[in-house]
Amino acid sequence: TGDTLENKLDNLVLNFFRPGIEIITSNLWVQGFAIILITFSLSSILTMLMFRLIRKVTSKTKVELDDKIAIILRTPVYISLILIGIGAGIILMPLNMEVQSFISKSLRTLNVLVWAVFFIRLSSLLLNRIAGLRDKYAFIQYRTLTLFDNLAKVAIFGAATYIIFVIWNINMTAWLASAGIAGIAIGFAAKDTLSNLFSGVFIIADAPYKVGDYVVLDGVGRGKVTTIGLRSTRILTRDDIEVTVPNSIIGNSTIINQSGGHHEKMRIRLKIGVAYGSDVDKVIEILQKTAEADPTVCKLPKPRVRFRVFGASSLDFE
């Protein structure tokens, strides 16, 4: 499809300029070089006018993203117009089919590389913009920006490589088979690392907790989340000891987030034992008044006192 579109564009340029050039000269070499030179001039003028208009439109918006996109878009558009003109001039020159085919494929390859660079720069701009809107999009944040930026570059580079292979009629079956075998080997070798990596991405996306939250985790106990990385999460315990927990373990554990929910209220149960023979009603009354008089205790829901069990040497209340 790309070959057909580019051939149509080359022929369009050729049919547009050739009648006028044939009036001046009948030499095919001169005609071909003339079309290339004319295309250089017109590409500069057309690109300048096009992006002046785009700049007027983008200047009226409040965001800077469209201005940056317009800046990085100018170069690939200009180069593509020039390459179309060069392709049209090459078609007109009296070259043998093999040379024409080689030059044509080289021009298409260069065009693919130019647009691959553009899409890499575009993906970086978009990811930075999304990371800046972390209140709306929790999946991509500044600490995970490098990961997603590299993934985008790999995807764009892979797509560009595939298109180049198609342009040069290279059979990709053997390459894909080799890549599949290499991927399996790397996956087995880095199983634990990849497990922590993917768990870290999903923890950041799902956001079961955030930095500053107090969580209760099996094997670690209660602590404050200080850092959420791609490989591990760091928790500061009540003994002021920082514990680094691999994300794969957290991803498969039950986490109690004491700072989560609709509010930050948390019920605390205090066990209090009194001697046998004590006035139970009086004990309940004293404990109730003590809790209600404490300024850190919520008024709603009200504090409650419960008799729990006959202990070995005391009456146990909560």
Side-chain angles (χ1 to χ4, degrees):
T1 305
D3 291 348
T4 305
L5 177 61
E6 194 157 353
N7 287 333
K8 287 182 178 180
L9 292 174
D10 291 342
N11 291 326
L12 180 64
V13 173
L14 187 62
N15 295 330
F16 183 79
F17 292 113
R18 188 174 182 180
I21 296 175
E22 285 180 341
I23 298 174
I24 301 174
T25 179
S26 60
N27 189 305
L28 295 179
W29 288 99
V30 176
Q31 291 180 8
F33 281 112
I35 288 178
I36 293 174
L37 292 175
I38 293 172
T39 305
F40 266 94
S41 302
L42 290 181
S43 297
S44 301
I45 297 172
L46 183 61
T47 304
M48 182 183 63
L49 295 176
M50 182 189 306
F51 282 91
R52 277 187 180 179
L53 178 61
I54 293 175
R55 195 177 300 113
K56 287 183 179 179
V57 175
T58 56
S59 63
K60 296 179 181 179
T61 61
K62 297 181 180 179
V63 295
E64 297 181 358
L65 181 63
D66 50 1
D67 296 305
K68 294 179 179 178
I69 293 176
I71 291 172
I72 65 173
L73 181 62
R74 179 168 184 162
T75 300
V77 169
Y78 174 68
I79 294 176
S80 295
L81 292 174
I82 290 176
L83 292 178
I84 291 172
I86 294 175
I90 294 298
I91 292 174
L92 193 58
M93 293 178 184
L95 299 170
N96 61 58
M97 294 300 296
E98 292 183 358
V99 175
Q100 279 195 357
S101 176
F102 177 80
I103 296 176
S104 178
K105 290 178 179 179
S106 300
L107 293 175
R108 294 193 189 107
T109 301
L110 179 60
N111 204 18
V112 170
L113 293 176
V114 168
W115 282 100
V117 172
F118 163 74
F119 281 112
I120 288 173
R121 298 177 67 184
L122 177 64
S123 65
S124 297
L125 283 177
L126 295 177
L127 288 172
N128 275 286
R129 176 59 179 169
I130 295 174
L133 302 174
R134 55 185 178 274
D135 295 334
K136 296 182 179 180
Y137 307 99
F139 191 69
I140 300 178
Q141 300 182 16
Y142 282 115
R143 61 176 172 269
T144 60
L145 190 59
T146 303
L147 170 67
F148 289 102
D149 187 44
N150 289 333
L151 290 175
K153 288 178 180 177
V154 169
I156 294 170
F157 179 77
T161 302
Y162 174 78
I163 295 172
I164 291 172
F165 275 34
V166 171
I167 290 174
W168 291 92
N169 298 321
I170 299 175
N171 189 357
M172 294 192 63
T173 304
W175 290 84
L176 292 175
S178 301
I181 295 172
I184 294 173
I186 293 172
F188 276 112
K191 179 180 65 175
D192 294 335
T193 302
L194 291 175
S195 177
N196 289 326
L197 180 64
F198 285 113
S199 296
V201 172
F202 288 119
I203 286 172
I204 293 172
D206 192 40
Y209 52 82
K210 60 183 182 296
V211 175
D213 285 357
Y214 286 89
V215 299
V216 179
L217 186 64
D218 296 339
V220 177
R222 184 176 186 269
K224 180 181 179 181
V225 178
T226 57
T227 305
I228 303 174
L230 289 176
R231 192 194 69 83
S232 62
T233 296
R234 296 180 183 177
I235 298 175
L236 188 68
T237 66
R238 285 179 286 188
D239 296 326
D240 289 331
I241 298 174
E242 188 175 71
V243 180
T244 301
V245 186
N247 287 329
S248 59
I249 295 177
I250 295 178
N252 296 318
S253 302
T254 300
I255 304 170
I256 300 174
N257 189 349
Q258 296 181 337
S259 303
H262 299 293
H263 49 69
E264 296 182 355
K265 295 179 181 179
M266 183 178 65
R267 176 173 286 120
I268 298 175
R269 293 178 172 86
L270 298 178
K271 294 183 178 181
I272 299 173
V274 298
Y276 276 99
S278 301
D279 186 342
V280 174
D281 294 333
K282 189 68 173 177
V283 171
I284 292 176
E285 180 184 354
I286 291 172
L287 293 177
Q288 188 74 33
K289 288 182 178 179
T290 302
E292 291 175 352
D294 194 311
T296 61
V297 176
C298 300
K299 303 302 179 183
L300 288 174
K302 293 182 178 181
R304 294 179 292 184
V305 180
R306 293 289 184 268
F307 173 70
R308 289 302 185 194
V309 69
F310 292 96
S313 59
S314 64
L315 300 173
D316 293 338
F317 293 80
E318 278 189 352

